[in-house]
């Protein structure tokens, strides 16, 4: 006898055998198959058994009835057809459904082409964690100086020697400038630049010679 397996939104399955000539489906409590999903209408659809086979007919539901993804008003059902009543999915079987569905109801994703079996959704081990690859040797995330005087890149640390070189160069330049300035002053002014500079800074007073007359 033909049957329909309904995959409910709460993850359970409902196997309904089509014993009546007309099977009503919807959220109304008087329906042969009562659906609790809000996307299903009160009187959503009917499945009719006729001489040519089983037909599913939509009853002007709000979200429609689909067979294998196509929205229909009425369609002949074939073994294995997927039927959607709003968001509730179902599978039509021309005979009895597989025994595994009756023993272990399992949920199914919405509009899934391949309905899962219990073996594919239970007792699954989580995937093994992927080990991170170690960072290549000789490379570091920050240029931390090593204790033996080298940077993380492997080159000698020349930071301190570079600073000392700069200080020495600047000192030599200052000394050379001072010597040159002293030589030029001595040549042009015929004097000592150091004493002349001190005299200018102290503002030396001119010397006055005082003569004492005898009476």
């Amino acid at each position: 006898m033909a049957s329909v397996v309904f995959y409910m939104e709460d993850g359970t399955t409902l196997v309904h055998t089509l014993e009546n000539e007309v099977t009503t489906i919807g959220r109304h409590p008087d329906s042969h198959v009562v659906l609790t999903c809000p996307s299903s209408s009160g009187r959503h659809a009917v499945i009719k058994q006729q001489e040519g086979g089983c037909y599913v007919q939509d009853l002007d539901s709000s979200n429609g009835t689909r067979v294998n993804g196509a929205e229909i008003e009425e369609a002949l059902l074939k073994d294995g057809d997927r039927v959607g009543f709003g968001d509730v999915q179902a599978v039509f079987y021309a005979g009895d459904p597989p025994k595994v569905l009756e023993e272990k109801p399992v949920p199914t994703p919405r509009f899934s082409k391949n309905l899962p079996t219990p073996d594919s959704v239970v007792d699954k081990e989580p995937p093994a964690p992927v080990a991170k690859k170690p960072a290549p040797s000789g490379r570091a995330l920050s240029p931390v100086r090593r204790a033996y005087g080298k940077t993380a890149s492997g080159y000698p640390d020349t930071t301190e020697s570079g600073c000392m070189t700069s200080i020495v160069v600047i000192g030599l330049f200052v000394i050379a400038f001072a010597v040159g300035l002293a030589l030029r002053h001595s040549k042009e002014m015929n004097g000592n630049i150091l004493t002349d500079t001190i005299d200018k800074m102290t503002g030396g007073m001119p010397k006055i010679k005082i003569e004492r007359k005898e009476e």
Side-chain angles (χ1 to χ4, degrees):
M1 184 175 292
S3 59
V4 180
V5 178
F6 292 86
Y7 294 84
M8 300 301 188
E9 71 279 3
D10 60 356
T12 60
T13 58
L14 172 64
V15 179
H16 183 81
T17 303
L18 300 177
E19 299 176 349
N20 301 322
E21 291 185 0
V22 177
T23 300
T24 57
I25 302 169
R27 288 192 293 109
H28 196 280
D30 293 339
S31 302
H32 292 106
V33 179
V34 179
L35 304 179
T36 58
C37 184
S39 63
S40 302
S41 299
R43 300 187 184 278
H44 197 101
V46 295
I47 297 179
K48 300 180 293 184
Q49 296 193 72
Q50 301 178 358
E51 293 182 359
C54 292
Y55 291 80
V56 58
Q57 179 183 358
D58 183 71
L59 299 180
D60 295 328
S61 61
S62 300
N63 295 300
T65 302
R66 297 174 303 280
V67 175
N68 297 326
E71 190 168 353
I72 55 92
E73 293 182 0
E74 185 175 17
L76 174 64
L77 294 176
K78 298 179 181 179
D79 186 56
D81 279 348
R82 295 178 296 109
V83 187
F85 305 95
D87 289 340
V88 177
Q89 294 292 297
V91 177
F92 172 80
Y93 294 96
D96 295 332
K99 294 295 183 182
V100 66
L101 294 177
E102 295 181 355
E103 296 174 358
K104 294 183 179 181
V106 295
T108 181
R110 294 180 179 178
F111 310 114
S112 175
K113 293 183 178 180
N114 300 318
L115 297 177
T117 60
D119 294 336
S120 64
V121 295
V122 296
D123 298 333
K124 287 284 186 179
E125 295 182 358
V130 179
K132 295 183 179 180
K133 295 182 179 180
S137 59
R139 296 182 181 179
L141 298 179
S142 59
V144 182
R145 295 184 179 90
R146 303 286 179 90
Y148 47 82
K150 292 185 179 181
T151 61
S153 59
Y155 294 98
D157 185 8
T158 59
T159 303
E160 295 182 359
S161 60
C163 293
M164 292 299 298
T165 303
S166 300
I167 294 174
V168 172
V169 171
I170 294 174
L172 292 176
F173 177 79
V174 172
I175 293 173
F177 178 77
V179 172
L181 187 63
L183 293 176
R184 182 177 179 181
H185 181 81
S186 177
K187 183 178 180 181
E188 295 181 357
M189 305 300 293
N190 195 20
N192 191 316
I193 188 173
L194 182 61
T195 57
D196 292 347
T197 301
I198 294 175
D199 289 342
K200 289 183 179 180
M201 293 179 63
T202 57
M205 300 296 292
K207 296 181 179 180
I208 300 174
K209 184 176 181 181
I210 301 174
E211 295 181 357
R212 186 176 181 182
K213 295 181 178 182
E214 296 181 359
E215 294 180 356

